[in-house]
Amino acid sequence: MKKQREVLGHIIKEEQISLLSTHLLSGTEVINIDHPFPGVHGIEFNFSAKPRSIILTTKKLYSLAKILRAQKLINKDAKFDINASFAKVKIGKQLHYGIRIKNLQSYDEIPVLQQKFIDAGFEFLYKSKIKTNQPVSIKISKFFHIEQMDEGIYKDANYKDMYYVHFPDYVNWETFREMTMYVKNNVSNNNFDVVKGIFYKDDSVYDIIRVYKPNMSLDLLNEIKDRYCKAFNRF
């Protein structure tokens, strides 16, 4: 049995989003992630009775510690087993904060969940008029449960088809975008989604990329890792 470990970190990604118009407390705004893995083709993510990923936008910044304390209280209710993370959303020049939620069983649970967070001392954003027709950058801070597959390569122990690869050092998003175009033009299979991030582990900080692809092979992960190292030296 492979050894799992828990690390703190964050990922930064660009997403297509929409705002829910139903299944929420009156006047609040809930962001729905419509296409969670835009780099993967041939997979349809259709609206269903179970939300994949939503963000409850809050009136102000709340720490990850406060969010996790609330999660602990909420999950004592047998109806809930949510996974809550800190979220920072940049839409154009607008900056919003929120709570990213996974593991809801239906959209009907959202207003109940919002009320539970209100009872725990959270205030939600009202009528901010979020615009969704422009690039959206989302930073998610959370704990990751990982298993090492190879040197600098990990799989997510909780989410199928999700992998993490060590990256040489920090680069800004625009440079990372250029690197990704170079990598995708120079690998044997470019049908994968990738975002950048950080792991805090072993008393240090590690830049990483998160790779999503169904039926991913270790050979392709090593190929992607090598290509990003070459791209880092090239750019």
Side-chain angles (χ1 to χ4, degrees), residues 158-174:
N158 292 336
Y159 295 102
K160 184 181 177 183
D161 303 323
M162 202 87 74
Y163 304 88
Y164 307 96
V165 176
H166 281 180
F167 188 76
D169 206 344
Y170 170 81
V171 294
N172 63 38
W173 184 261
E174 290 305 318

Side-chain angles (χ1 to χ4, degrees), residues 58 74 95 173 207 209:
T58 55
I74 291 167
L95 184 61
W173 184 261
D207 290 277
I209 56 175

Side-chain angles (χ1 to χ4, degrees), residues 1 6 22 35 87 109 142 177 186 190-191 200 212 218 223 235:
M1 181 177 179
E6 185 178 61
T22 60
H35 303 282
E109 291 181 339
K142 54 173 285 187
R177 189 200 305 274
N186 289 279
N190 64 9
N191 191 24
Y200 300 99
Y212 173 85
L218 181 57
E223 185 181 357
F235 290 86

Side-chain angles (χ1 to χ4, degrees), residues 133-192:
N133 59 345
Q134 51 190 312
V136 176
S137 172
I138 303 177
K139 177 180 178 180
I140 303 294
S141 299
K142 54 173 285 187
F143 284 97
F144 297 81
H145 298 263
I146 58 175
E147 296 177 2
Q148 185 165 1
M149 300 174 66
D150 205 344
E151 184 67 29
I153 298 178
Y154 306 86
K155 67 178 293 185
D156 196 296
N158 292 336
Y159 295 102
K160 184 181 177 183
D161 303 323
M162 202 87 74
Y163 304 88
Y164 307 96
V165 176
H166 281 180
F167 188 76
D169 206 344
Y170 170 81
V171 294
N172 63 38
W173 184 261
E174 290 305 318
T175 302
F176 180 73
R177 189 200 305 274
E178 293 179 18
M179 288 181 177
T180 299
M181 291 178 62
Y182 167 80
V183 169
K184 286 212 166 193
N185 286 327
N186 289 279
V187 290
S188 57
N189 185 330
N190 64 9
N191 191 24
F192 58 86

Side-chain angles (χ1 to χ4, degrees), residues 38 79 89 106 120 134 164:
K79 295 180 180 178
V89 183
S106 75
Q134 51 190 312
Y164 307 96

Side-chain angles (χ1 to χ4, degrees), residues 124-136:
F124 288 113
L125 190 64
Y126 285 79
K127 300 179 180 179
S128 71
K129 298 181 179 178
I130 289 177
K131 297 179 181 179
T132 60
N133 59 345
Q134 51 190 312
V136 176

